[in-house]
Amino acid sequence: MSGEHWTYNEWATNTVEKIVVMGLAAPEEHRADWLRLQIGSAIEQALRHGRSGLGDDDPVVA
């Protein structure tokens, strides 16, 4: 992505897709833990974005 940022809506769509695709591919014995970590991380990022006063069309900054 070289210097560009996704809007929140783009980030959310791509993050959900990544979690689903990679979660389904994860070995069954590790899948639940991997999903918990990824979902928790995504929720934290979304909360940081919202608390900063940014909207759905503003860029997401890690």
Side-chain angles (χ1 to χ4, degrees):
M1 206 162 66
S2 70
E4 295 179 27
H5 295 283
W6 283 343
T7 65
Y8 177 79
N9 283 334
E10 292 167 333
W11 172 84
T13 299
N14 284 288
T15 297
V16 167
E17 185 64 18
K18 177 191 84 168
I19 291 171
V20 169
V21 170
M22 294 182 73
L24 291 173
E28 189 172 343
E29 64 270 15
H30 301 294
R31 189 174 299 146
D33 290 335
W34 187 88
L35 287 168
R36 282 185 195 98
L37 287 171
Q38 296 302 311
I39 292 168
S41 178
I43 289 170
E44 288 175 15
Q45 178 69 33
L47 290 172
R48 278 193 303 274
H49 186 81
R51 282 194 301 256
S52 68
L54 298 171
D56 291 351
D57 294 323
D58 291 315
V60 173
V61 180

